[in-house]
Each structure stands twice: as structure tokens, then as C-alpha cells.
Amino acid sequence: VTACSTTSRVPDDDKLFVGLSKIDYTNYDKNDHFVSTREEVEAALATAPNGALFGSSFYRTPFPYRLWIYNAFSESDSPISRWITKSFGKAPVLMSGVNPTLRAKVAQGLLHDRGYFAAAVNYNEQPMRSKKKAKIRYDINVGPLYVVDTLDYINFPADAKTLIDSTRSEALVTSGSPFDVSALDAERTRLSTLFRNNGYYYYQPGYASYLADTLDVAGHARLRLQLADGIPSAATRKWYIGNVQLEMRKQYSDILTNSFRYRHFSMYYPGKRTPMRAAVIMKDVKLRHGQLYSYDDYVASVNNLTSMGVFSMVDIKFTPRDTTA
């Protein structure tokens, strides 16, 4: 064991990565937002060395036996050596593979996305007794956390703006909250769900974008969530449920030869008899003629039909209809 070398397969222009030193954070206020952000940053910087203790980036066992096995057998062409290398060995984790420059950039971008616009992430290689080994130390200057000053919703149709104003208490971005890209995306998604539950079938989250002013008030961001120009006109109007048509097949290739119709509901099926009574189906379908389209009703209808256990597949499609005729 004492004769085993951990660096015998390390190229001359590279080094064996042996773990991270403690990450040094400076210039920050410790709060819940910082704690959650730090966890994400450390996940981005994490790299397990050979012999990592429980997958840790900081601690390793003194006996990296899998690396020793790899070094001892990897250059042999015999079948048993290849099997031993593949089954029990592990290639050396090299500095070139860790790529600390890229990881530092990713961590810095993550900090910016979480509201630490002035954050800077740097690293240095720490000297070891062996010149073929290296540790990495990351130094993170966090800087001040930017918070939301105001959020205005601009250019939305009047009915949509009324919906926004009526649900302000449910907003996920409020004055004083951290400027957090994930929260901004969540608020945009919340509005999309709100609109789609109130008739805006064709609306999508990407139809609105944020504008931020971080210069007017120090440490604060004034935000505008603005409906984009040139989006499809169908996305800015409300849609109502029209006729409901149900197609029931035992096989995908079945030809629908018979039908049943009651007012605005139609059922098409193969054979002479309906596979299931229309009243049973309609009880679980929450989509009704003349009602505003609701995404929640759509999801409930799919779930109800699926949970009946009699359909191998449930698919609901919506087709726009010309209402001017």
C-alpha cells in the first residue's frame, strides 16, 4: 500500500485535484435569503475528489483505493485488468476536469440572479507538498443584496389588469423582497395561470417581460412587467367553451360509425351501443358550453377521466371556432 502512487497517471501539464478548502465569504448580511443562496453557490462549486468522504468536496479518506487500482491496472490490455479497472477503479480527478474558472463564473452568475449584483467569485490553487496535487480555494465577495422597490404591470388589456389588481395580495414579488430571478419567473407564471383560468387560453408566460431600473434608488430595483408588442391577438382576448365532442375508441384505428348528441354535447363511438353513458362522462368533465375557459377545469377533467380506470389514454384538444357567423 505504501508503494502506491496517486499521481502516477496524472499528465505532466495537469494536477490531481484533492478537494476544496473552506470557501471564504466576505461582505454579506446573514439572512434566510443568503443561506439559501449559499447552498446553491456551493452546489455549483462542488467537485468530489478521489476518495471523497461521503461525496464531500472538502474531506477525503487517506486511502483512495479506487484510484490506486486504476493506476495499477488501467494501462494493461489483459481482459482481467480491464475488468478490474472498470469494476473497481476510478480515473484521477484532474484540475483540468474540475475547471474552476468556469465554476466560478457559474457561481457568480447565480449570485447575480439572486440579487447580489456586485458579487465577485475568484479562486486560487493552494500549494501542496506534492507539485502534482492541488487544492482549490474560492473567495466570494458577496456584496449588498438588491431588493424590489416597486413592480408595475404595464400594457395589459383592461380585463387582465383588473385580474392582476384583484390578486395583488397573492403576488410573489413585492416591495422589499429580494431581487430574485426565480421569484420573478414565478410571478410571471402565476399571472399566466391566472389569465388561463379566466379565459385567456392562448396566453403564455413569455408574452410579458421585465424591465429593471437599478440606478434610481441605491440598492433597489424598480421593475416593470410589460406585455410585449406584437403578440398574437388571440392571446389578448377571452375564450369560451363551445361544443363538446367526445370520441371513444377501443383501438386507435377504430372507425367511429355512430354518434349521440344532446344539445352542445356529442359522443362518437364504434359499434352499435355507446361504451359508456353520456351522463357518467359529463359528470366528470368540468368543461361546459358557454363557460369561460379555465385551465384548472381542464386539468380536473383530465384527472377525473383518467382516474375512472376505463380509458388507456385521455386527450383533450381545443379548436378555435369562428363566432362571427
Side-chain angles (χ1 to χ4, degrees):
V1 171
T2 56
C4 293
S5 170
T6 57
T7 60
S8 60
R9 296 291 180 265
V10 176
D12 293 336
D13 59 347
D14 213 334
K15 294 180 180 180
L16 180 70
F17 170 70
V18 293
L20 300 181
S21 294
K22 184 179 180 181
I23 299 174
D24 185 32
Y25 294 91
T26 57
N27 190 22
Y28 67 92
D29 293 326
K30 190 171 183 179
N31 50 44
D32 291 342
H33 185 74
F34 170 76
V35 171
S36 64
T37 302
R38 181 177 61 186
E39 292 175 355
E40 294 184 22
V41 167
E42 294 186 358
L45 299 177
T47 308
N50 293 101
L53 187 63
F54 304 117
S56 171
S57 299
F58 302 93
Y59 305 104
R60 57 198 296 261
T61 68
F63 306 110
Y65 66 90
R66 296 190 66 185
L67 176 59
W68 291 339
I69 293 173
Y70 180 90
N71 290 342
F73 293 94
S74 61
E75 289 194 344
S76 175
D77 291 331
S78 69
I80 190 170
S81 294
R82 291 198 299 268
W83 175 77
I84 291 174
T85 301
K86 181 179 180 180
S87 301
F88 305 106
K90 184 175 182 181
V93 179
L94 303 176
M95 286 291 291
S96 58
V98 175
N99 200 345
T101 301
L102 176 61
R103 291 179 182 274
K105 289 182 179 178
V106 170
Q108 184 168 296
L110 192 153
L111 284 162
H112 292 174
D113 288 345
R114 296 300 300 269
Y116 297 99
F117 295 157
V121 180
N122 298 294
Y123 77 93
N124 59 74
E125 294 183 12
Q126 293 193 298
M128 308 285 292
R129 284 187 299 176
S130 171
K131 294 182 179 180
K132 296 291 290 181
K133 298 179 180 179
K135 272 194 168 188
I136 298 174
R137 171 176 170 169
Y138 291 100
D139 298 304
I140 302 178
N141 184 353
V142 179
L145 171 64
Y146 276 70
V147 298
V148 174
D149 183 59
T150 56
L151 172 60
D152 296 320
Y153 303 86
I154 306 298
N155 204 31
F156 289 90
D159 287 347
K161 187 63 166 59
T162 299
L163 288 172
I164 294 173
D165 293 339
S166 66
T167 59
R168 279 278 189 165
S169 61
E170 302 172 13
L172 303 177
V173 177
T174 58
S175 179
S177 63
F179 185 99
D180 190 326
V181 169
S182 62
L184 301 184
D185 286 341
E187 173 64 7
R188 190 165 57 172
T189 300
R190 182 188 74 84
L191 290 188
S192 177
T193 303
L194 174 66
F195 294 158
R196 284 172 59 81
N197 276 333
N198 287 273
Y200 293 94
Y201 173 77
Y202 289 100
Y203 186 85
Q204 300 177 17
Y207 287 157
S209 58
Y210 286 97
L211 297 176
D213 179 2
T214 59
L215 300 177
D216 193 34
V217 181
H220 291 67
R222 289 187 171 179
L223 298 176
R224 296 173 62 183
L225 181 56
Q226 183 170 311
L227 192 66
D229 294 329
I231 66 173
S233 59
T236 60
R237 57 166 289 190
K238 293 183 177 183
W239 294 81
Y240 293 81
I241 301 298
N243 297 326
V244 178
Q245 176 179 308
L246 176 67
E247 299 178 354
M248 302 188 68
R249 293 180 171 89
K250 292 182 179 180
Q251 302 291 333
Y252 187 78
S253 58
D254 282 351
I255 299 176
L256 305 178
T257 55
N258 283 298
S259 63
F260 167 83
R261 182 178 180 86
Y262 175 72
R263 302 181 68 178
H264 299 284
F265 173 78
S266 302
M267 177 187 291
Y268 296 85
Y269 53 92
K272 297 181 179 180
R273 301 179 61 182
T274 61
M276 183 174 292
R277 288 190 301 164
V280 175
I281 294 291
M282 289 306 298
K283 178 175 67 70
D284 287 328
V285 175
K286 303 301 181 182
L287 306 171
R288 294 289 186 270
H289 175 82
Q291 291 183 349
L292 272 175
Y293 167 82
S294 168
Y295 178 75
D296 284 349
D297 287 345
Y298 158 74
V299 172
S301 298
V302 172
N303 290 340
N304 289 343
L305 292 175
T306 302
S307 65
M308 293 176 68
V310 297
F311 303 111
S312 60
M313 183 186 71
V314 175
D315 184 25
I316 298 179
K317 297 180 180 179
F318 297 90
T319 303
R321 187 173 58 139
D322 184 4
T323 58
T324 61

